[in-house]
Amino acid sequence: MELSDLKIIHYPDPRLKKISQTVQPFDAELKLLAGRMLELMREQRGVGLAAPQVGINLRLFVMNATGNPEDDQVYVNPELSDAQGSEEGEEGCLSLPD
């Protein structure tokens, strides 16, 4: 699949339920994928986008809470840990429109 063909998929697409694979290797292709995901996220006015949301089952997500390009962040092979404290807020998902 060409990166230019990537699009955000919507629930209940079965690809959203697959277990994502660990990212290997860290190469130029991964950098291009993350860049394209950031583009898609901006086009839809989102603040975050995970690789499964574009039909690629890798442990990868991008985010930018401010909208400033210098604040782009890419997370590869993230792991959940015990959270401390709490925060309440409204959340949206680009794979669940409206």
Side-chain angles (χ1 to χ4, degrees):
M1 172 184 278
E2 293 290 323
L3 290 179
S4 60
D5 294 334
L6 282 183
K7 64 180 183 176
I8 296 172
I9 59 176
H10 298 122
Y11 180 82
D13 190 301
R15 293 174 288 178
L16 292 169
K17 293 184 177 186
K18 290 184 178 182
I19 295 175
S20 292
Q21 302 298 310
T22 301
V23 174
Q24 289 183 11
F26 292 74
D27 58 12
E29 189 173 321
L30 180 64
K31 184 175 181 177
L32 291 172
L33 172 59
R36 178 64 181 136
M37 288 173 57
L38 285 162
E39 289 173 1
L40 288 168
M41 180 189 74
R42 282 191 191 91
E43 288 171 8
Q44 297 300 310
R45 298 176 47 173
V47 296
L49 184 66
Q53 291 178 274
V54 294
I56 298 178
N57 286 98
L58 289 176
R59 293 180 54 210
L60 167 71
F61 76 92
V62 299
M63 65 169 287
N64 185 318
T66 67
N68 297 321
E70 62 270 8
D71 294 329
D72 288 348
Q73 295 181 24
V74 177
Y75 293 84
V76 181
N77 298 328
E79 293 184 19
L80 296 175
S81 60
D82 291 332
Q84 296 180 354
S86 66
E87 183 176 326
E88 287 189 32
E90 193 168 321
E91 182 178 353
C93 179
L94 295 175
S95 290
L96 297 168
D98 303 320

